Amino acid sequence: MDTARNGNWKRSILAVLLGLLTALLLLLLLGALFAICLTFTSLSEGTISATSLIFIAISLLAGGIVCALFAHKKGLYHGLALGICFFLILIFTSQ
């Protein structure tokens, strides 16, 4: 019984970490593509705030899907843990 419980915790932590890695890498990729578009096209810089919110939402959605597929259960808890970790990383890196 104890071994099964340890396996569940490890799987849960790994699911959140994989989802977090997916979300952060996707956000980095989308941000780089947007920076290239801003550099080489006539897009205005006024679109940055709206676009960044859309990129964050897309990244969290993709990370949540990866997290849920790997965890197989308790998706609300895993998604909440993913969201908290993601926003803590964003807060600490933006200062």
Side-chain angles (χ1 to χ4, degrees):
M1 183 90 160
D2 190 38
T3 305
R5 185 173 287 180
N6 285 340
N8 288 339
W9 275 104
K10 289 178 185 177
R11 187 170 186 89
S12 293
I13 291 171
L14 190 59
V16 172
L17 288 177
L18 282 175
L20 187 62
L21 182 66
T22 301
L24 290 173
L25 287 176
L26 185 59
L27 184 62
L28 183 67
L29 177 70
L30 290 172
L33 289 174
F34 186 63
I36 291 170
C37 287
L38 278 175
T39 303
F40 295 114
T41 63
S42 62
L43 285 174
S44 69
E45 293 177 359
T47 61
I48 292 176
S49 62
T51 307
S52 65
L53 288 176
I54 292 170
F55 288 168
I56 289 171
I58 291 170
S59 298
L60 276 174
L61 179 66
I65 289 171
V66 169
C67 184
L69 287 175
F70 194 79
H72 295 293
K73 59 182 177 178
K74 295 187 179 179
L76 185 62
Y77 295 126
H78 289 98
L80 182 63
L82 172 69
I84 290 171
C85 291
F86 185 85
F87 281 107
L88 284 175
I89 289 173
L90 284 182
I91 288 170
F92 289 131
T93 57
S94 67
Q95 292 184 5

